[in-house]
Amino acid sequence: MRRQVMAPPEGWLAPLHARIPRPRTPVTTQAPAPRRPPIMSSRPSITGVGLAVVFYCLSFTPSLLPRVWFLQGVVAGVTAAMGYALGTGVGALIRLRRPFGARTVRIAWRVLAAATPLLVVVFLALGTRWQSALRLRLGMPPTEEYDLVRTVGISLLTFGLLLLIARALRLATHGCARLFRRIVPNAAAYCAGTLVVALLSYGTLDNVLVANLFSMADRSAAITNNGTGTGVLMPASALRSGSAPSLVPWDSLGRQGRAFVAGAPTPEQLGEFAGRPATEPIRLYAGLTSADTVEDRADLVVREMDRTGAFDRAVVAVFTPTGTGWVDGKVTSSLEYMYAGDTALVSMQYSYLPSWAAFLGADRSEVVTAASALITAVQRRWDALSEDTRPTLLLFGESLGTYGLEKTYRTADRLIAGADGVLLEGPTFANPIHRSLTESRAEGSPVWNPVLPDLPVAFAENAASLRELTGERPKLVYLQNATDPVVWWSWDLLWKKPQWLTGERGPDVTPDMHWYPVVTFWQTTCDLIFANKVPTGHGHVYKSETVDAWAALAPPPGWTVVDTLRLRALLDS
């Protein structure tokens, strides 16, 4: 009898491997790499490139003064870099809230690629025309045709260099963030990395580049100050500082002081112009090494005045010089010609740096301290004289010297009462009295030619307009060219349209100039560099125009407009 084999239950023959558990392979989970902030993206930003193109085109728009080809190239490159940085930041903020779609980005890139060549070509052509018209307006020769090619090359090189520096700083920021990420969250790590790189960059810029720049300027100015200009000789006359009888040694005057005392016209020249015998003029000066302190130098000048009989002259004029100690020879000579040499002109050095370096890098209080010390010492001696015997007391300041004079008196009323006449030529944007008077001008008068009917103050964009003054003679005259960036520069040009571009413009300000945020500020800043490289009557160049100002403030008896024109022609010849 057979045994019946029973079938195994269903599923019993399933593969053994299905029932035998496999050894588990350990699963390693890696944290996703932290997301970079949009500002740290390695891809170019569409908003950054777009704004860079716009800023690049706007950089060719005109400003107060013409720009030479290499300066225009640097301006264009830096302006484009500013636009790229601003656009990148704006784009990053937008993407944080609502990222651009891929299709939107592709279309934007195509539009930008098509529009950029056309925009650049149009603005290059317009920029060339604008610059030519501006040079013609200021009486300057036209530019060369090939300058445009060099300008574009310099601009691209400048932009590329700045972009390379920005990329290096961004890479350094990312590297610092990776280190900080080990101890703080990702967002805090990038904030810390950005702060560290910013501080290190500022320290490098300030302590290496800026410090070395001012150090080089200081060394160069010191060498120049120790020299003597061509044709400048030690005066033989006892009426000059630095002569043998003088209390001030010749070697202590500095380069500009030696030029000041030696540059007076001769009595024969003065007499030929005046048509009568002339007196030898007095010129007195104290250099930085003439005495140990500012007060001692001022006292030394007054003792020189007593020695030479300066207070017996018809006019005593105190000049506050520019940063280097320079006093414009045409300004001084014009007074001496007007009074046939019956004058005593005095000045004192407070620095040997150029005005821009003295203003930005050095302590501005130096010019204030020097101006206050000299004016106070002279005025104290002048006040001691009887009103019947006092000479006419005149004060003059040019550029940074105007700042020293205004800070000495602090208010317009005190400045007006401080002397018989005050002439301020090319006042700086930091001058407090100039700013106050400009803001309180009569309604309807332009900022470049304010009218102040209640004060004996006259502003002149064109010195010839001073010949037309009627009524009370002014006691304070400002000469300020409408195209002088030293007068019109300000920080709020970054975000605010200036008044000198609103309404009626100054005669030499081109109608093609318009205000653009950031761009106009940067252009006007660059105008400062070449403010002295333009013809007389434009930019920061005044020279013989002071004849009209002296004639308005303190003309000698019998002086006429014809005499003013004769003297201007003589000084310009």
Side-chain angles (χ1 to χ4, degrees):
M1 183 174 177
R2 276 185 171 177
R3 291 183 65 183
Q4 188 175 1
V5 180
M6 298 189 62
E10 185 177 359
W12 185 84
L13 293 176
L16 290 175
H17 67 268
R19 293 183 293 161
I20 301 174
R22 292 182 180 180
R24 293 185 176 181
T25 304
V27 179
T28 59
T29 58
Q30 184 176 1
R35 182 184 177 191
R36 290 186 184 183
I39 195 69
M40 296 299 297
S41 173
S42 60
R43 292 174 295 181
S45 163
I46 180 65
T47 53
V49 174
L51 210 55
V53 172
V54 172
F55 273 43
Y56 183 81
C57 292
L58 292 179
S59 71
F60 288 93
T61 58
S63 54
L64 288 172
L65 300 175
R67 294 186 289 272
V68 293
W69 65 269
F70 58 85
L71 179 60
Q72 177 59 63
V74 173
V75 168
V78 173
T79 306
M82 291 177 178
Y84 184 81
L86 183 60
T88 300
V90 171
L93 293 176
I94 294 174
R95 290 195 301 273
L96 283 175
R97 298 180 62 86
R98 188 175 182 180
F100 298 122
R103 185 170 179 272
T104 302
V105 173
R106 284 197 303 271
I107 294 174
W109 277 116
R110 290 171 184 172
V111 171
L112 186 61
T116 296
L118 178 62
L119 283 173
V120 170
V121 169
V122 168
F123 273 87
L124 284 175
L126 289 173
T128 302
R129 191 188 74 181
W130 286 328
Q131 289 296 316
S132 298
L134 187 55
R135 295 177 72 88
L136 181 64
R137 179 183 288 268
L138 269 62
M140 300 174 66
T143 58
E144 301 291 343
E145 294 182 358
Y146 55 81
D147 285 347
L148 185 60
V149 177
R150 298 191 290 182
T151 296
V152 173
I154 290 291
S155 66
L156 295 177
L157 180 63
T158 302
F159 178 77
L161 179 61
L162 292 175
L163 187 61
L164 181 64
I165 294 173
R167 293 273 177 171
L169 294 176
R170 189 182 62 184
L171 183 62
T173 300
H174 184 59
C176 290
R178 291 182 62 182
L179 295 176
F180 289 128
R181 212 162 54 205
R182 300 178 182 179
I183 53 177
V184 295
N186 186 53
Y190 273 104
C191 288
T194 302
L195 181 61
V196 169
V197 172
L199 291 175
L200 290 175
S201 301
Y202 175 79
T204 301
L205 179 67
D206 185 55
N207 297 324
V208 178
L209 296 180
V210 175
N212 285 336
L213 174 65
F214 281 107
S215 178
M216 291 173 57
D218 183 83
R219 289 195 298 269
S220 174
I223 294 173
T224 302
N225 185 64
N226 290 331
T228 302
T230 304
V232 175
L233 301 175
M234 180 177 174
S237 171
L239 300 179
R240 311 290 171 82
S241 292
S243 62
S246 172
L247 304 175
V248 184
W250 171 253
D251 293 339
S252 72
L253 291 175
R255 183 187 186 92
Q256 303 301 343
R258 288 188 279 272
F260 174 79
V261 299
T266 64
E268 291 75 22
Q269 292 172 317
L270 298 173
E272 182 180 355
F273 176 82
R276 56 185 172 86
T279 305
E280 184 175 3
I282 297 173
R283 289 200 183 189
L284 306 173
Y285 195 95
L288 284 175
T289 60
S290 296
D292 294 334
T293 66
V294 173
E295 291 74 16
D296 290 342
R297 291 196 292 273
D299 180 67
L300 183 60
V301 171
V302 173
R303 287 192 286 131
E304 279 277 88
M305 296 177 74
D306 288 332
R307 179 186 67 82
T308 56
F311 290 101
D312 296 328
R313 296 298 176 101
V315 171
V316 168
V318 181
F319 290 77
T320 304
T322 63
T324 60
W326 177 73
V327 178
D328 190 342
K330 290 186 177 181
V331 178
T332 53
S333 296
S334 59
L335 262 184
E336 291 165 333
Y337 274 105
M338 289 175 70
Y339 282 88
D342 194 10
T343 57
L345 313 184
V346 301
S347 186
M348 187 173 77
Q349 187 179 19
Y350 56 86
S351 171
Y352 51 68
L353 291 171
S355 288
W356 66 267
F359 190 85
L360 297 176
D363 188 354
R364 294 184 205 172
S365 64
E366 290 179 355
V367 61
V368 179
T369 302
S372 178
L374 181 57
I375 292 171
T376 300
V378 173
Q379 200 166 36
R380 185 185 301 118
R381 179 69 177 80
W382 181 77
D383 285 336
L385 302 173
S386 66
E387 294 186 11
D388 296 335
T389 59
R390 286 176 184 168
T392 298
L393 178 61
L394 302 177
L395 304 178
F396 174 84
E398 180 175 3
S399 190
L400 188 57
T402 67
Y403 176 81
L405 266 174
E406 288 198 7
K407 294 291 284 187
T408 296
Y409 286 96
R410 300 184 182 178
T411 67
D413 291 337
R414 293 179 60 185
L415 180 58
I416 293 169
D420 295 312
V422 182
L423 173 56
L424 300 181
E425 182 182 84
T428 76
F429 52 85
N431 286 25
I433 297 177
H434 177 270
R435 186 187 310 115
S436 174
L437 291 174
T438 301
E439 291 174 351
S440 61
R441 68 188 183 277
E443 185 177 357
S445 62
V447 68
W448 47 269
N449 190 21
V451 175
L452 298 157
D454 298 329
L455 290 173
V457 179
F459 287 79
E461 187 280 333
N462 181 1
S465 64
L466 294 172
R467 304 171 201 161
E468 304 170 1
L469 293 177
T470 59
E472 183 183 3
R473 187 176 301 282
K475 293 191 65 178
L476 171 59
V477 169
Y478 282 96
L479 289 182
Q480 52 180 37
N481 293 331
T483 53
D484 188 353
V486 175
V487 180
W488 307 117
W489 186 94
S490 64
W491 282 108
D492 58 9
L493 279 173
L494 277 167
W495 64 84
K496 182 181 178 182
K497 185 177 182 179
Q499 295 182 20
W500 45 272
L501 285 179
T502 303
E504 183 184 0
R505 298 190 176 191
D508 296 328
V509 179
T510 171
D512 296 319
M513 182 180 182
H514 301 283
W515 175 80
Y516 304 99
V518 181
V519 176
T520 302
F521 169 83
W522 170 236
Q523 289 179 323
T524 308
T525 301
C526 292
D527 286 340
L528 293 168
I529 300 173
F530 287 92
N532 289 315
K533 305 297 182 181
V534 291
T536 300
H538 309 284
H540 201 52
V541 183
Y542 297 85
K543 298 189 183 301
S544 64
E545 292 192 337
T546 53
V547 176
D548 298 272
W550 289 133
L553 283 168
W559 187 264
T560 66
V561 173
V562 174
D563 294 325
T564 298
L565 296 177
R566 282 200 309 123
L567 183 52
R568 287 197 60 166
L570 174 65
L571 295 177
D572 288 336
S573 62

